[in-house]
Amino acid sequence: EPEARGLPLLRLAELPAEPARQRSWPRLPFNHPLFIMFSSGTTGAPKCIIHGAGGTLLEHAKEHQLHCDLGPGDLLFFQTSCAWMMWNWQLSALASGAAILLHDGPVHDPAVLWRIVAEEGVTVFGTSPPYLRMGEEAGLEPGRLFDLGRLRAILSTGAILHDRQFHWVSQAVKPVPVQSISGGTDILGCFVLGNPNLPVRAGEAQCRSLGLDVRAMLPSGEATATRPGAMGELVCANPFPSRPLGFHGDADGSRFHAAYFARNPGYWTHGDLVEFSAAGGCRLHGRVDGVLNVRGIKVGPAEIYRVLQDLPEIREAMAVQQEGETPEQRRMVLLLVLRPGLALDAALTGRVRRELAHRASAAHVPDLILQVPALPVTHSGKRSEAAASDAVNGRIPRNAAALANPECLAALRHHPALRPDSEALPALRRGADGEASAEAMAAYLTALWEQLLHFAPIGQDDNFFDLGGHSLLAARMLSELRAATGRELPLTVLLHAPTIAGLTAILQDPSWTLDSRLVVLKEGDQTRPLVLIHSLAGTFLELWAVRRHLGGRRRIIGIQARGLEAGEEPHRRVEDAAAEYLGLLRQVQPEGPYLLAGYSYGGLVAFEMARQLEAAGEKVAFLGLIDPELDPACLSWPARLAFAGRKLAHELRQIGAQPPAERRHHIARRLAAAGTSLRLRLGRAGPAEPERSELPLALRRIHTAVREACAAYRPRPYHGDATLFRAMEQRPETYDPQPIWRRMVYGHLTVLPVPGDHLSIIKEPGATTLATLLETALRTIEML
């Protein structure tokens, strides 16, 4: 108790009556401790953080007066409690001449806080995304129910504020600025927040905090705040006033340094995942430690939540990762809290998967979807992915003491669906002749798909890819089919038959083979088809999202790699592949003009096909090069040396960023990769890469052969026109090949920038943009 420690405890009526200016105030050092704050404990044990008086006051005065435009005559009301830093943040608004309104009590009614705002004449209202969503779900219209005439701004923090909630405030409350602010207990302030002089863009914080060099630390080691669309970890590159004094009981500062400076030397590392826009705004994507690694692809849970917020049945969602013995055995688990009275059934499960597959990508589709009564939250109301992840993996939560509802984890930790599949797949039923009927085959495939995709029922005409299927699940499915039927089907069979009905028909036809590597990706009635050439993957499974968004009445044909069938040797030279593919193309289109396009390695083959068609006197109406990657040997010697220097500097930065325990393994991996690249340039096939070992042997062989072909290819001049679709975000270990293409294309080279990097431009939402640009370029050609 304060009185027991000799500290005065006064009630409001007992405060001295004389004006504050007549009192004697002690003069204390600038860094005199002001607050001891405990971090929320969302990811681990709470940290005991000491904040200084001078730095805190300077930072808060800046944020209140310049970013929030607070001053005399304003009444600030922030929905908070003593356990949250926003309580401390609002107290210092008194220094800016504003009055503050404090409220203590539960929020069971979605209208209760809006009523207080109206009755008290609040000018700036601070709240959280869950409260705004509560009003939206209830169909509340505060602007119609209450007099909010004095309200001029709304602040929101504590979680990601999605685009939809910005729109709800504008329509249901009133058209006032909604400022999404983000910082934390660690700095007792904000890194990104509002600006009264800038427009509000849905889903974004308006700007970086004044005087703070806030950037996104990319996986490459580059820290940027100017590259639009680049997503990375929030870091700060300069000192700032409210940097804490340190941790309690950390005399030498080692724990403080390890928490904020060890991972990215020279930068304060905050742990949030951020993305800056071209206008200087910032979109938040959750915590970095919440990012999932799904089959080698990093997925930010915020991308999943943004899609699911449009499904009215879902109240809350959380995506976590269940570990496995190998990386391939990891599973993404999606936890859903539904509206009262609703149950998770196959229809809703399928809809969730389809929405994520269509609006995000196959990587965003969870392996397992579970309904839970509640998600773990801390005492400050923040959701804890770390606690849920521990429970999903059968561990005791590392931050149990920081949780307000730890009891919700017990059922999750012991959920039967999280254990390895205990129910064996039913055997394929065969008749007296030893053969399986079409009905038995369809039943077996249905059970197999439902086990792999983790939901039921699945219809006979449901598309494997629309259900969230991807290449790894396809490989597992075909492996099970081989064991059950003895049939060795290529992975590309799903391009011909992506449904249970179609696959059953193929399995019932013992004579079916992949008689051509030509695949009709889309039917159409135009005479000239668009011909797409496969990438390093050898098939079109990875381009499924792009194909889906290509509109119009044009027929689209794909050419797949040689080597998909047993006994075939894949091409190891681009020139040889181009010559054979032209023979396949002439089977469906004997003469030009031709429309050619290819992604990555496919762009090189398409370019070489255009050269060979030109040499044969044929016309190429369109040549689309979708982010093709040329070997550095194509550069001039000065450019090669400059590139080698940049690459070496990048590698050294990467090595320096590795923890000491992992540095040796990282160097070994990079040396092995360099050795493989050298062997490929010398024309000697390198070993199959370990990260590709989950693919069928045929695709691994194609992958190695294609890398060898890319290393050996040196483009020669082409006298026609070409369109280069160039990914805007380039990895540091690559270089810009535009100067080479400009030298090789003697006609007109059109360069169309595509937002994203080499991989993201073919996945949602980048696939939609790429398909739109491709369609526009084709229509332009047709109008000429």
Side-chain angles (χ1 to χ4, degrees):
E1 293 296 328
E3 291 180 326
R5 300 191 191 118
L7 299 176
L9 178 62
L10 303 176
R11 299 185 181 277
L12 180 62
E14 300 170 341
L15 289 176
E18 69 270 17
R21 62 177 177 272
Q22 297 179 10
R23 301 189 62 191
S24 174
W25 296 93
R27 299 185 65 84
L28 301 171
F30 184 87
N31 281 338
H32 187 80
L34 175 65
F35 297 120
I36 288 184
M37 305 291 295
F38 289 89
S39 60
S40 60
T42 54
T43 58
K47 299 186 288 286
C48 183
I49 309 167
I50 305 173
H51 288 283
T56 299
L57 180 61
L58 281 178
E59 185 64 32
H60 287 189
K62 177 198 72 178
E63 293 179 5
H64 291 148
Q65 297 177 33
L66 301 182
H67 287 279
C68 300
D69 199 21
L70 280 172
D74 276 314
L75 177 58
L76 170 67
F77 169 36
F78 215 107
Q79 173 200 358
T80 182
S81 69
C82 299
W84 193 16
M85 63 147 284
M86 297 312 299
W87 177 274
N88 310 74
W89 185 87
Q90 72 174 347
L91 289 179
S92 54
L94 296 171
S96 297
I100 61 174
L101 173 65
L102 307 180
H103 170 69
D104 182 20
V107 181
H108 298 308
D109 177 1
V112 63
L113 298 184
W114 297 111
R115 184 177 294 108
I116 293 174
V117 170
E119 292 176 353
E120 301 296 334
V122 170
T123 59
V124 178
F125 173 44
T127 184
S128 64
Y131 181 69
L132 296 177
R133 183 165 185 176
M134 182 190 297
E136 180 188 9
E137 290 178 345
L140 188 69
E141 296 183 38
R144 183 177 61 82
L145 296 176
F146 306 110
D147 178 9
L148 303 177
R150 293 203 68 208
L151 182 66
R152 63 171 181 81
I154 294 175
L155 313 179
S156 174
T157 189
I160 294 173
L161 188 65
H162 295 293
D163 301 28
R164 178 171 169 173
Q165 292 163 305
F166 281 79
H167 301 314
W168 178 79
V169 169
S170 178
Q171 296 165 8
V173 182
K174 63 184 295 188
V176 295
V178 179
Q179 299 179 355
S180 178
I181 67 178
S182 180
T185 300
D186 309 76
I187 67 167
L188 203 56
C190 304
F191 280 120
V192 293
L193 65 171
N195 186 323
N197 302 313
L198 293 177
V200 175
R201 292 177 173 83
E204 294 183 8
Q206 290 168 279
C207 68
R208 296 178 289 164
S209 188
L210 288 170
L212 273 65
D213 188 359
V214 180
R215 308 181 192 178
M217 178 66 73
L218 306 183
S220 62
E222 175 191 0
T224 179
T226 58
R227 185 183 298 181
M231 192 185 303
E233 186 170 11
L234 189 153
V235 298
C236 188
N238 68 330
F240 48 93
S242 63
R243 199 213 80 167
L245 304 178
F247 291 165
H248 179 69
D250 182 28
D252 62 356
S254 57
R255 288 194 293 117
F256 182 76
H257 181 272
Y260 303 115
F261 297 101
R263 188 154 72 246
N264 296 299
Y267 296 90
W268 170 285
T269 300
H270 197 59
D272 286 341
L273 194 63
V274 296
E275 171 190 354
F276 291 101
S277 68
C282 176
R283 187 176 287 272
L284 299 162
H285 293 279
R287 297 288 297 175
V288 170
D289 43 32
V291 173
L292 310 175
N293 190 334
V294 183
R295 294 172 286 277
I297 301 172
K298 290 187 176 180
V299 174
E303 303 162 36
I304 296 173
Y305 307 151
R306 189 172 295 117
V307 173
L308 297 184
Q309 69 170 339
D310 293 332
L311 300 186
E313 299 90 341
I314 299 174
R315 169 166 286 177
E316 291 185 274
M318 181 181 287
V320 295
Q321 185 167 290
Q322 184 182 30
E323 301 298 334
E325 294 183 4
T326 66
E328 293 75 29
Q329 292 176 330
R330 293 173 180 160
R331 296 197 295 181
M332 186 206 298
V333 180
L334 180 63
L335 309 176
L336 298 180
V337 178
L338 303 183
R339 288 192 175 184
L342 297 182
L344 183 65
D345 55 15
L348 180 56
T349 302
R351 187 177 170 206
V352 167
R353 290 179 180 274
R354 283 189 290 272
E355 287 292 317
L356 289 170
H358 290 170
R359 295 173 54 189
S361 75
H364 292 78
V365 178
D367 298 291
L368 189 61
I369 304 177
L370 303 178
Q371 181 179 359
V372 295
L375 298 175
V377 295
T378 65
H379 291 290
S380 61
K382 291 187 177 182
R383 302 189 317 173
S384 176
E385 277 96 348
S389 176
D390 284 339
V392 162
N393 287 284
R395 299 187 294 258
I396 301 298
R398 71 199 86 165
N399 60 339
L403 297 179
N405 58 344
E407 68 281 355
C408 75
L409 299 176
L412 184 57
R413 190 161 50 245
H414 303 294
H415 199 293
L418 293 171
R419 301 170 190 161
D421 294 331
S422 56
E423 192 172 327
L425 188 70
L428 177 62
R429 299 192 309 273
R430 302 178 185 274
D433 58 357
E435 299 296 325
S437 65
E439 292 76 13
M441 187 64 71
Y444 174 79
L445 283 172
T446 301
L448 177 57
W449 282 30
E450 289 176 351
Q451 186 182 86
L452 290 174
L453 296 168
H454 293 287
F455 79 98
I458 294 177
Q460 299 291 293
D461 296 316
D462 287 341
N463 189 290
F464 180 79
F465 301 102
D466 289 343
L467 295 173
H470 47 75
S471 59
L472 294 186
L473 282 180
R476 288 173 56 189
M477 181 193 68
L478 294 177
S479 176
E480 292 284 352
L481 278 179
R482 182 173 62 249
T485 67
R487 290 285 298 275
E488 181 79 38
L489 294 176
L491 193 63
T492 50
V493 69
L494 286 170
L495 293 174
H496 297 267
T499 66
I500 290 175
L503 199 54
T504 298
I506 286 177
L507 289 166
Q508 290 297 108
D509 181 3
S511 64
W512 185 89
T513 59
L514 187 64
D515 55 359
S516 174
R517 297 202 306 282
L518 289 173
V519 178
V520 178
L521 299 175
K522 181 176 175 292
E523 292 290 359
D525 55 8
Q526 293 185 350
T527 55
R528 289 186 296 174
L530 170 65
V531 181
L532 289 176
I533 312 300
H534 68 88
S535 67
L536 175 145
T539 75
F540 285 96
L541 296 181
E542 66 175 356
L543 292 176
W544 192 262
V546 179
R547 178 215 65 87
R548 184 171 57 241
H549 292 296
L550 288 172
R553 295 157 42 207
R554 185 181 300 100
R555 193 180 189 211
I556 303 174
I557 295 175
I559 299 181
Q560 301 187 108
R562 177 181 173 85
L564 294 173
E565 287 289 332
E568 287 185 340
E569 278 297 318
H571 290 294
R572 299 185 181 277
R573 296 180 69 248
V574 171
E575 294 84 351
D576 296 341
E580 183 175 339
Y581 293 1
L582 285 177
L584 295 172
L585 174 57
R586 289 191 173 103
Q587 294 177 14
V588 294
Q589 187 183 354
E591 57 185 22
Y594 293 98
L595 307 175
L596 304 176
Y599 165 66
S600 192
Y601 165 76
L604 305 184
V605 178
F607 179 82
E608 185 60 29
M609 290 172 68
R611 285 192 66 260
Q612 295 183 18
L613 285 168
E614 180 185 59
E618 295 280 4
K619 179 174 176 58
V620 177
F622 177 77
L623 173 59
L625 310 176
I626 305 173
D627 210 38
E629 297 185 326
L630 289 165
D631 190 270
C634 297
L635 293 168
S636 64
W637 274 108
R640 286 181 70 178
L641 290 174
F643 168 66
R646 292 196 305 272
K647 189 172 182 180
L648 177 61
H650 167 70
E651 291 292 349
L652 292 176
R653 286 197 301 270
Q654 290 288 85
I655 292 171
Q658 295 294 318
E662 300 179 12
R663 197 165 293 162
R664 182 180 302 174
H665 299 291
H666 178 80
I667 294 174
R669 287 195 302 268
R670 299 310 301 155
L671 288 176
T676 299
S677 298
L678 179 60
R679 285 193 297 271
L680 290 172
R681 286 197 179 88
L682 296 175
R684 303 170 188 168
E689 296 176 271
E691 64 268 23
R692 310 299 297 182
S693 61
E694 74 279 358
L695 293 179
L697 177 61
L699 291 188
R700 279 186 276 157
R701 292 171 62 245
I702 290 173
H703 181 270
T704 301
V706 164
R707 291 189 64 199
E708 186 177 333
C710 289
Y713 184 60
R714 305 292 180 268
R716 290 179 291 171
Y718 168 62
H719 293 82
D721 299 335
T723 301
L724 176 63
F725 300 85
R726 184 67 176 145
M728 294 173 62
E729 185 177 330
Q730 297 300 311
R731 302 186 302 273
E733 65 269 25
T734 63
Y735 66 92
D736 184 2
Q738 287 189 53
I740 300 176
W741 290 117
R742 293 193 183 280
R743 292 200 308 269
M744 294 299 105
V745 177
Y746 283 14
H748 181 68
L749 178 68
T750 302
V751 179
L752 298 178
V754 186
D757 59 24
H758 185 69
L759 293 177
S760 66
I761 63 173
I762 63 169
K763 304 181 186 300
E764 298 290 8
T768 305
T769 304
L770 175 58
T772 301
L773 291 171
L774 185 56
E775 276 292 326
T776 303
L778 288 166
R779 284 197 297 270
T780 302
I781 294 295
E782 290 170 349
M783 289 188 295
L784 295 179

